[in-house]
Each structure stands twice: as structure tokens, then as C-alpha cells.
Amino acid sequence: MSRIGKRPIPVPQGVKIFIGAELVVEGPKGRLTVPIPDGIRLEQRDGQLEVLRDGDQYAPLHGLTRALAANAVQGVSAGFVRELDIVGIGYRVEQKGRVLILNLGYSHPIEFVLPKGVEARVERNTHIVLSGADKQLVGQVAANLRALRPPDPYKQKGIRYTGEKLLKKVGKTGAGGK
């Protein structure tokens, strides 16, 4: 049995759940839908959502569906946050509406348009806080921002997740050739 799939999902106050061909979760932070695969059933009892499967051949989808449903419930009630730090001399970010303007050492500033469903807050010109209801979307936007200038293992410059540990590599040493 799937250990993750068997755990019930607590539904907080203010969150409404509609079960049909897909799971629709509404809350103060927004509305999310989760597809329900064949062989998986959802039941709501006593303020909890339970994910059940019709047979052992649906075991891989059991835990997946439960995890996606739990993320949707948490997203519409509390939301998800990802934080990024920009490290480097002259590297900075500025926000104009839904556009982040990043100066990352290239010959031109990079304009990054935030997708619908993700909010950004810029602190101290070098700290970005992304938030939203959809865990996958917030994580993907953070990964796309990080990919603009990944952390350099030699100089430790670039965009990194807050708290991310980097291994510093030692550069070339030696007397050089003649």
C-alpha cells in the first residue's frame, strides 16, 4: 500500500472542495484544479479528504494524486513561497509592475515577465520573494529566474535560492608555462 496515498488530507476552514471529473479546490488564495486519473476515487468525510484506489495496479497514481491534492489544498489556503538571492558586484533587480528588470553582468538588462498566478516582491535590490497558490508554477518561475545566471562555483556569483549551499571550487594555481 502507498503510505503517502493512505494519509487523509485535512481541509482547513474557508476551503471548498468540489469532486467531479477533476478535483476543484477553492480558497482565499485562489482556485486550483487537480486531474483525477481512472481507478482513483476521492471522498470527503469529517473535514478530511481521502484518496482511495480501486486496485493495486493503480498504486503509482494513488500517492501522486494524494500529493497533488494536498498541494492544491495547501496552496489555496496558505500559498507557497520561494526566495532567491542575487550575489555579485553590480547585480541587482528592480520591479516595475509584473516585470522584473535584472542587471546580471550582461551587456543589457533582462526583462522577466511574471506569469499570472505568481506574485513577486523585491527587497534590498538583491532579494526576490516569489509567492503563489500553485506549487509547481512558483517553483518553475524560481528555476527560470535562477537559470538566467546560475551560481558560479568559482566566484560564487549568480542567482541562488536563499539558504542554498554552494561548493566553492578552487581555481587554477601554479607557476604557469614558459
Side-chain angles (χ1 to χ4, degrees):
M1 288 289 291
S2 170
R3 292 179 187 204
I4 294 173
K6 287 194 293 187
R7 292 175 41 198
I9 303 166
V11 180
Q13 292 285 23
V15 175
K16 295 178 187 160
I17 292 180
F18 306 102
I19 302 169
E22 59 186 10
L23 176 68
V24 178
V25 184
E26 288 183 9
K29 300 267 185 186
R31 179 180 189 205
L32 294 173
T33 59
V34 177
I36 301 173
D38 293 334
I40 302 294
R41 293 177 287 120
L42 292 165
E43 292 180 5
Q44 189 173 3
R45 298 186 205 135
D46 303 327
Q48 292 185 335
L49 185 66
E50 293 185 16
V51 181
L52 308 167
R53 67 177 186 226
D54 293 338
D56 285 342
Q57 69 269 29
Y58 302 110
L61 296 173
H62 190 202
L64 171 71
T65 305
R66 191 258 178 217
L68 293 175
N71 286 342
V73 169
Q74 182 183 347
V76 299
S77 60
F80 293 98
V81 175
R82 281 301 250 165
E83 296 184 22
L84 298 162
D85 288 324
I86 300 175
V87 179
I89 296 173
Y91 290 11
R92 63 183 175 273
V93 64
E94 179 184 344
Q95 185 174 9
K96 289 188 179 171
R98 299 205 44 83
V99 178
L100 297 177
I101 300 168
L102 298 116
N103 293 316
L104 300 173
Y106 296 119
S107 61
H108 59 283
I110 298 169
E111 292 185 359
F112 187 89
V113 180
L114 293 168
K116 186 179 178 188
V118 176
E119 300 297 321
R121 202 172 69 243
V122 175
E123 301 170 355
R124 302 184 316 268
N125 291 342
T126 59
H127 188 74
I128 304 169
V129 179
L130 299 171
S131 60
D134 190 349
K135 184 176 186 177
Q136 191 274 331
L137 184 61
V138 171
Q140 187 62 53
V141 170
N144 290 346
L145 277 169
R146 185 179 184 271
L148 295 174
R149 179 66 93 171
D152 178 29
Y154 297 101
K155 296 181 179 178
Q156 304 284 304
K157 295 175 11 176
I159 301 176
R160 64 178 82 167
Y161 298 117
T162 300
E164 180 181 6
K165 301 283 188 231
L166 297 176
L167 292 176
K168 184 166 172 83
K169 290 187 177 179
V170 180
K172 286 185 180 180
T173 59
K178 291 185 183 176

